[in-house]
Amino acid sequence: KKFCLERALLAANLFVDSTDGNVNIDTAQPRDYGAFRSAFRGTDRGRVQSTICKLWRCEILQERKELLPSWETDAPGGSDATNMGSLGLNESLQTFTVVIMGDRFLYKMIRNIVGTIVAVGCGHLELEDVRIALDTGKWGGNQSCEENATKDRGEISVEIMTSSESNDKTHTIRRICAPGRGLTLAEVHYPEDVDFDWQTG
């Protein structure tokens, strides 16, 4: 399906409860990101970890350095990194960077968030699916964090009930874990009271 930038922007905004992908760091609320964690590997398998995190930025930026032929989107040209919320539409191919800032990240959390944004943009996930995952820490609202974590990508069939009908319907959630090759740690901020004893040699 064709990638819809408007849907992707709406999905990104859900992660910070914002209309522009940003909130003040002091007002960012902790949430359960268990639905966006992948299973631990090797000796870390079975390790217990809190899934509560705070995000204050989840923003889609346009990149002009190269084209990604597998994506068709509707954004015009601009600078190397441009906020996509204010841009118009055309038929050119583009690439994007998703910038995420928070107090901590779970295993593969960023890749799963980006994959979710892409899945919504491509019509494989609904915005309501993402809202439920953020509200409950589970996909479909009926899976444990560990069950979510064991699936990096794939389809999950969940039973949903509509308000206008009495019959159950099966809704397929198609999840994506974005490739790791584009993941970059840009910077780390430490509290002022943290003092490093740097040594060389």
Side-chain angles (χ1 to χ4, degrees), residues 86-150:
S86 61
L87 296 179
L89 304 176
N90 67 21
E91 293 300 321
S92 63
L93 298 173
Q94 305 294 334
T95 61
F96 305 95
T97 293
V98 180
V99 180
I100 299 175
M101 298 180 69
D103 65 340
R104 61 191 291 264
F105 305 126
L106 307 175
Y107 181 57
K108 291 189 180 180
M109 173 178 158
I110 301 304
R111 291 171 58 187
N112 282 313
I113 288 177
V114 172
T116 296
I117 292 171
V118 172
V120 171
C122 292
H124 300 317
L125 276 176
E126 298 299 326
L127 289 168
E128 186 61 22
D129 295 328
V130 183
R131 288 192 187 97
I132 292 174
L134 286 169
D135 289 342
T136 65
K138 308 170 186 177
W139 284 107
N142 62 355
Q143 287 191 306
S144 69
C145 293
E146 194 58 36
E147 288 173 324
N148 285 317
T150 58

Coordinates of all heavy atoms in Angstrom, one line a residue, residues 86-150:
S86 N 4.2 20.7 8.6 CA 3.8 21.9 8.0 C 4.0 21.9 6.5 O 3.8 22.8 5.8 CB 4.7 23.1 8.5 OG 6.1 22.8 8.3
L87 N 4.4 20.7 5.9 CA 4.7 20.6 4.5 C 3.4 20.2 3.7 O 2.5 19.6 4.2 CB 5.8 19.5 4.3 CG 7.1 19.9 4.9 CD1 8.1 18.7 4.6 CD2 7.7 21.2 4.4
G88 N 3.5 20.6 2.4 CA 2.4 20.3 1.5 C 2.5 18.9 0.9 O 3.2 18.0 1.4
L89 N 2.0 18.7 -0.3 CA 2.0 17.4 -0.9 C 2.5 17.4 -2.3 O 2.2 18.3 -3.1 CB 0.5 16.8 -0.9 CG -0.2 16.7 0.4 CD1 -1.6 16.2 0.2 CD2 0.6 15.8 1.4
N90 N 3.2 16.4 -2.8 CA 3.5 16.2 -4.2 C 3.7 14.7 -4.3 O 3.6 13.9 -3.4 CB 4.6 17.0 -4.7 CG 6.0 16.7 -4.1 OD1 6.2 15.6 -3.5 ND2 6.9 17.6 -4.1
E91 N 4.2 14.2 -5.5 CA 4.3 12.8 -5.8 C 5.8 12.3 -5.7 O 6.1 11.2 -6.2 CB 3.8 12.5 -7.2 CG 2.3 12.7 -7.3 CD 1.5 11.8 -6.3 OE1 1.9 10.7 -6.2 OE2 0.5 12.3 -5.7
S92 N 6.7 13.1 -5.1 CA 8.1 12.7 -5.1 C 8.3 11.6 -4.1 O 7.6 11.5 -3.1 CB 9.0 13.9 -4.8 OG 8.7 14.4 -3.6
L93 N 9.4 10.8 -4.2 CA 9.8 9.8 -3.3 C 10.7 10.5 -2.2 O 11.6 11.3 -2.6 CB 10.6 8.7 -4.0 CG 9.8 7.9 -5.0 CD1 10.7 7.0 -5.7 CD2 8.7 7.2 -4.4
Q94 N 10.6 10.1 -1.0 CA 11.4 10.7 0.1 C 11.8 9.7 1.1 O 11.3 8.6 1.1 CB 10.5 11.8 0.8 CG 9.9 12.8 -0.1 CD 11.0 13.7 -0.7 OE1 12.1 13.9 -0.2 NE2 10.7 14.3 -1.8
T95 N 12.8 10.1 1.9 CA 13.2 9.3 3.1 C 12.9 10.1 4.3 O 12.9 11.3 4.3 CB 14.6 8.8 3.0 OG1 15.5 10.0 3.0 CG2 14.9 8.0 1.8
F96 N 12.8 9.4 5.5 CA 12.5 10.1 6.7 C 13.3 9.6 7.9 O 13.8 8.5 7.9 CB 11.0 9.9 7.1 CG 10.1 10.3 6.0 CD1 9.6 9.4 5.1 CD2 9.7 11.6 5.8 CE1 8.8 9.7 4.0 CE2 8.8 12.0 4.8 CZ 8.3 11.0 3.9
T97 N 13.5 10.5 8.9 CA 14.1 10.1 10.1 C 13.0 10.3 11.2 O 12.3 11.3 11.2 CB 15.3 11.0 10.4 OG1 16.3 10.7 9.5 CG2 15.8 10.8 11.9
V98 N 12.9 9.3 12.1 CA 12.0 9.5 13.3 C 12.9 9.8 14.5 O 13.8 9.0 14.8 CB 11.2 8.2 13.5 CG1 10.3 8.4 14.7 CG2 10.4 7.9 12.3
V99 N 12.8 10.9 15.1 CA 13.5 11.3 16.2 C 12.7 11.1 17.5 O 11.6 11.6 17.6 CB 13.9 12.8 16.1 CG1 14.8 13.2 17.3 CG2 14.7 13.1 14.8
I100 N 13.3 10.3 18.4 CA 12.6 10.0 19.7 C 13.5 10.3 20.8 O 14.7 10.0 20.8 CB 12.2 8.5 19.7 CG1 11.3 8.1 18.5 CG2 11.6 8.1 21.0 CD1 11.0 6.7 18.4
M101 N 12.9 11.0 21.8 CA 13.7 11.3 23.0 C 12.9 10.8 24.2 O 11.6 11.0 24.3 CB 13.9 12.8 23.1 CG 14.8 13.4 22.0 SD 15.0 15.2 22.1 CE 16.1 15.2 23.5
G102 N 13.6 10.3 25.2 CA 12.9 9.8 26.4 C 13.9 9.5 27.6 O 15.1 9.8 27.4
D103 N 13.3 9.1 28.7 CA 14.2 8.9 29.9 C 14.9 7.5 29.8 O 15.9 7.3 30.5 CB 13.4 9.1 31.2 CG 12.3 8.0 31.3 OD1 11.9 7.4 30.3 OD2 11.8 7.8 32.5
R104 N 14.3 6.6 29.1 CA 14.9 5.2 29.0 C 14.2 4.5 27.8 O 13.0 4.9 27.5 CB 14.8 4.4 30.3 CG 13.3 4.2 30.7 CD 13.2 3.6 32.1 NE 13.7 2.2 32.2 CZ 13.0 1.2 32.1 NH1 11.6 1.3 31.9 NH2 13.5 0.0 32.2
F105 N 14.8 3.5 27.3 CA 14.2 2.7 26.2 C 14.3 1.2 26.5 O 15.4 0.8 27.0 CB 14.9 3.0 24.8 CG 14.9 4.5 24.5 CD1 16.1 5.1 24.2 CD2 13.7 5.2 24.5 CE1 16.1 6.5 23.8 CE2 13.7 6.6 24.2 CZ 14.9 7.2 23.8
L106 N 13.3 0.5 26.1 CA 13.4 -1.0 26.3 C 14.1 -1.6 25.1 O 14.4 -1.0 24.1 CB 11.9 -1.5 26.4 CG 11.0 -0.8 27.4 CD1 9.6 -1.4 27.4 CD2 11.6 -1.0 28.8
Y107 N 14.3 -2.9 25.2 CA 15.0 -3.7 24.1 C 14.2 -3.6 22.9 O 13.0 -4.0 22.8 CB 15.2 -5.1 24.6 CG 15.9 -6.0 23.6 CD1 17.1 -5.6 23.1 CD2 15.3 -7.1 23.1 CE1 17.8 -6.4 22.1 CE2 16.0 -7.9 22.2 CZ 17.2 -7.6 21.7 OH 17.8 -8.4 20.8
K108 N 14.7 -3.1 21.8 CA 14.1 -2.9 20.5 C 12.9 -2.0 20.5 O 12.1 -2.0 19.6 CB 13.8 -4.2 19.9 CG 15.0 -5.1 19.5 CD 14.6 -6.3 18.6 CE 15.8 -7.1 18.2 NZ 15.4 -8.3 17.4
M109 N 12.7 -1.2 21.6 CA 11.6 -0.3 21.7 C 11.5 0.7 20.5 O 10.4 0.9 19.9 CB 11.6 0.4 23.0 CG 10.5 1.4 23.2 SD 10.7 2.1 24.9 CE 9.8 3.7 24.7
I110 N 12.6 1.3 20.2 CA 12.6 2.3 19.2 C 12.3 1.7 17.8 O 11.5 2.3 17.0 CB 14.0 3.1 19.1 CG1 14.3 3.7 20.5 CG2 14.0 4.1 18.0 CD1 13.2 4.7 20.9
R111 N 12.9 0.6 17.5 CA 12.6 -0.1 16.3 C 11.2 -0.5 16.1 O 10.6 -0.4 15.1 CB 13.6 -1.3 16.1 CG 15.0 -0.9 15.9 CD 15.9 -2.1 16.0 NE 15.6 -3.1 15.0 CZ 16.1 -4.3 14.9 NH1 17.0 -4.7 15.8 NH2 15.7 -5.2 14.0
N112 N 10.6 -0.9 17.2 CA 9.2 -1.3 17.2 C 8.3 -0.1 17.1 O 7.2 -0.2 16.4 CB 8.8 -2.1 18.5 CG 9.3 -3.5 18.4 OD1 9.1 -4.2 17.4 ND2 10.0 -4.0 19.5
I113 N 8.6 1.0 17.7 CA 7.8 2.2 17.5 C 7.9 2.7 16.1 O 6.8 3.1 15.5 CB 8.3 3.3 18.5 CG1 8.0 3.0 19.9 CG2 7.8 4.7 18.1 CD1 8.5 4.0 20.9
V114 N 9.1 2.8 15.5 CA 9.2 3.2 14.1 C 8.4 2.2 13.2 O 7.7 2.7 12.3 CB 10.7 3.3 13.7 CG1 10.8 3.5 12.2 CG2 11.4 4.4 14.5
G115 N 8.6 0.9 13.4 CA 7.8 0.0 12.6 C 6.3 0.2 12.8 O 5.6 0.0 11.8
T116 N 5.9 0.5 13.9 CA 4.4 0.8 14.2 C 4.0 2.0 13.4 O 2.9 2.0 12.7 CB 4.2 1.0 15.7 OG1 4.4 -0.2 16.4 CG2 2.7 1.4 15.9
I117 N 4.8 3.1 13.4 CA 4.5 4.3 12.6 C 4.4 4.0 11.1 O 3.5 4.4 10.4 CB 5.5 5.4 12.9 CG1 5.4 5.9 14.4 CG2 5.4 6.6 11.9 CD1 6.6 6.8 14.8
V118 N 5.3 3.2 10.6 CA 5.3 2.8 9.2 C 4.1 2.0 8.9 O 3.4 2.1 7.9 CB 6.6 2.0 8.8 CG1 6.5 1.5 7.4 CG2 7.8 3.0 9.0
A119 N 3.8 1.0 9.8 CA 2.6 0.2 9.6 C 1.3 1.0 9.5 O 0.4 0.7 8.7 CB 2.5 -0.9 10.7
V120 N 1.2 2.0 10.4 CA 0.0 2.8 10.4 C 0.0 3.6 9.1 O -1.0 3.7 8.4 CB 0.0 3.8 11.6 CG1 -1.1 4.8 11.4 CG2 -0.2 3.0 12.9
G121 N 1.1 4.2 8.7 CA 1.2 4.9 7.4 C 0.9 4.1 6.2 O 0.4 4.6 5.2
C122 N 1.2 2.8 6.3 CA 0.9 1.9 5.1 C -0.5 1.3 5.2 O -0.9 0.5 4.4 CB 1.9 0.8 5.0 SG 3.5 1.5 4.5
G123 N -1.3 1.6 6.3 CA -2.6 1.0 6.4 C -2.7 -0.3 7.0 O -3.7 -1.0 7.0
H124 N -1.5 -0.9 7.5 CA -1.6 -2.2 8.1 C -2.0 -2.2 9.6 O -2.4 -3.2 10.1 CB -0.1 -2.8 8.1 CG 0.4 -3.0 6.7 ND1 -0.4 -3.4 5.6 CD2 1.6 -2.7 6.1 CE1 0.3 -3.4 4.5 NE2 1.5 -3.0 4.8
L125 N -2.0 -1.0 10.2 CA -2.4 -0.9 11.6 C -3.3 0.4 11.7 O -3.2 1.3 10.9 CB -1.3 -0.6 12.6 CG -0.5 -1.8 13.1 CD1 0.7 -1.3 14.0 CD2 -1.4 -2.7 14.0
E126 N -4.3 0.3 12.6 CA -5.2 1.5 12.8 C -4.6 2.3 14.0 O -4.0 1.8 14.9 CB -6.6 1.0 13.1 CG -7.2 0.2 11.9 CD -7.3 1.1 10.7 OE1 -7.5 2.3 10.8 OE2 -7.2 0.5 9.6
L127 N -4.9 3.6 14.0 CA -4.5 4.4 15.1 C -5.1 3.9 16.4 O -4.4 4.0 17.4 CB -5.0 5.8 14.8 CG -4.3 6.6 13.7 CD1 -5.0 7.9 13.4 CD2 -2.8 6.9 14.1
E128 N -6.3 3.4 16.4 CA -6.9 2.8 17.6 C -6.1 1.7 18.1 O -6.0 1.5 19.4 CB -8.4 2.4 17.3 CG -9.1 2.0 18.6 CD -9.2 3.1 19.6 OE1 -9.1 4.3 19.3 OE2 -9.4 2.8 20.8
D129 N -5.5 0.8 17.3 CA -4.7 -0.3 17.7 C -3.5 0.3 18.5 O -3.1 -0.3 19.6 CB -4.1 -1.0 16.5 CG -5.2 -1.7 15.7 OD1 -6.2 -2.2 16.3 OD2 -5.0 -1.9 14.5
V130 N -2.9 1.4 18.1 CA -1.8 2.0 18.8 C -2.2 2.6 20.1 O -1.5 2.4 21.1 CB -1.1 3.0 17.9 CG1 0.1 3.6 18.6 CG2 -0.7 2.4 16.5
R131 N -3.4 3.2 20.1 CA -3.9 3.8 21.4 C -4.1 2.7 22.4 O -3.7 2.9 23.6 CB -5.2 4.5 21.1 CG -5.1 5.8 20.3 CD -6.4 6.6 20.4 NE -6.3 7.8 19.5 CZ -6.8 7.8 18.3 NH1 -7.4 6.7 17.8 NH2 -6.7 8.9 17.5
I132 N -4.7 1.6 22.0 CA -4.9 0.5 23.0 C -3.6 -0.1 23.5 O -3.5 -0.3 24.7 CB -5.8 -0.6 22.3 CG1 -7.2 -0.1 22.0 CG2 -5.8 -1.9 23.2 CD1 -8.0 -1.1 21.2
A133 N -2.6 -0.2 22.6 CA -1.3 -0.7 23.0 C -0.6 0.2 24.0 O 0.0 -0.3 25.0 CB -0.4 -1.0 21.8
L134 N -0.8 1.5 23.8 CA -0.2 2.5 24.7 C -0.9 2.5 26.0 O -0.4 2.7 27.1 CB -0.1 3.8 24.1 CG 0.9 4.0 23.0 CD1 0.7 5.3 22.2 CD2 2.3 4.0 23.5
D135 N -2.3 2.3 26.0 CA -3.1 2.4 27.2 C -2.9 1.2 28.1 O -3.0 1.2 29.3 CB -4.5 2.6 26.9 CG -4.8 4.0 26.3 OD1 -4.0 4.9 26.6 OD2 -5.9 4.2 25.7
T136 N -2.7 0.0 27.4 CA -2.7 -1.3 28.2 C -1.4 -2.0 28.2 O -1.2 -2.9 29.0 CB -3.7 -2.2 27.5 OG1 -3.2 -2.6 26.2 CG2 -5.1 -1.6 27.4
G137 N -0.4 -1.5 27.4 CA 0.9 -2.2 27.3 C 0.8 -3.5 26.6 O 1.7 -4.3 26.6
K138 N -0.3 -3.7 25.8 CA -0.5 -5.0 25.1 C -1.2 -4.7 23.8 O -1.9 -3.7 23.6 CB -1.5 -5.9 25.9 CG -1.1 -6.1 27.3 CD -2.3 -6.8 28.1 CE -2.0 -6.9 29.6 NZ -3.1 -7.5 30.3
W139 N -0.9 -5.5 22.8 CA -1.5 -5.4 21.5 C -2.9 -6.1 21.5 O -3.0 -7.2 21.9 CB -0.6 -6.0 20.4 CG 0.5 -5.2 20.0 CD1 1.8 -5.4 20.3 CD2 0.4 -3.9 19.2 NE1 2.6 -4.3 19.8 CE2 1.7 -3.4 19.1 CE3 -0.6 -3.2 18.7 CZ2 2.0 -2.3 18.5 CZ3 -0.3 -2.0 18.0 CH2 1.0 -1.6 17.9
G140 N -3.9 -5.4 21.1 CA -5.2 -5.9 21.2 C -5.8 -5.9 22.6 O -7.0 -6.3 22.7
G141 N -5.0 -5.5 23.6 CA -5.6 -5.4 24.9 C -5.7 -6.8 25.6 O -6.2 -6.8 26.7
N142 N -5.3 -7.9 25.0 CA -5.5 -9.2 25.6 C -4.3 -10.1 25.5 O -4.4 -11.3 25.6 CB -6.7 -9.9 24.8 CG -6.4 -10.1 23.4 OD1 -5.3 -9.7 22.9 ND2 -7.3 -10.8 22.7
Q143 N -3.1 -9.5 25.4 CA -1.9 -10.3 25.5 C -1.0 -9.7 26.6 O -1.0 -8.6 26.9 CB -1.2 -10.2 24.1 CG -1.8 -11.0 23.0 CD -0.9 -11.0 21.8 OE1 -0.5 -10.0 21.4 NE2 -0.6 -12.2 21.4
S144 N -0.2 -10.6 27.1 CA 0.8 -10.2 28.1 C 2.0 -9.5 27.4 O 2.2 -9.7 26.2 CB 1.3 -11.4 28.9 OG 2.0 -12.3 28.1
C145 N 2.8 -8.8 28.2 CA 3.9 -8.2 27.7 C 4.9 -9.2 27.1 O 5.5 -9.0 26.1 CB 4.7 -7.3 28.7 SG 3.7 -5.9 29.3
E146 N 5.0 -10.3 27.8 CA 5.9 -11.4 27.3 C 5.5 -12.0 26.0 O 6.3 -12.2 25.1 CB 6.1 -12.5 28.3 CG 7.3 -13.4 28.1 CD 8.6 -12.6 28.0 OE1 8.8 -11.7 28.8 OE2 9.4 -13.0 27.2
E147 N 4.1 -12.2 25.8 CA 3.6 -12.7 24.6 C 3.9 -11.7 23.5 O 4.2 -12.0 22.3 CB 2.1 -12.9 24.7 CG 1.8 -14.2 25.5 CD 0.3 -14.3 25.8 OE1 -0.4 -13.3 25.9 OE2 -0.2 -15.4 25.8
N148 N 3.7 -10.4 23.7 CA 4.0 -9.3 22.8 C 5.5 -9.4 22.4 O 5.8 -9.3 21.2 CB 3.7 -7.9 23.3 CG 2.2 -7.7 23.4 OD1 1.5 -8.0 22.4 ND2 1.7 -7.1 24.5
A149 N 6.3 -9.5 23.4 CA 7.8 -9.4 23.2 C 8.3 -10.5 22.3 O 9.4 -10.4 21.7 CB 8.5 -9.4 24.5
T150 N 7.7 -11.7 22.3 CA 8.2 -12.8 21.6 C 8.0 -12.7 20.1 O 8.6 -13.4 19.3 CB 7.5 -14.1 22.0 OG1 6.1 -14.0 21.8 CG2 7.8 -14.4 23.5

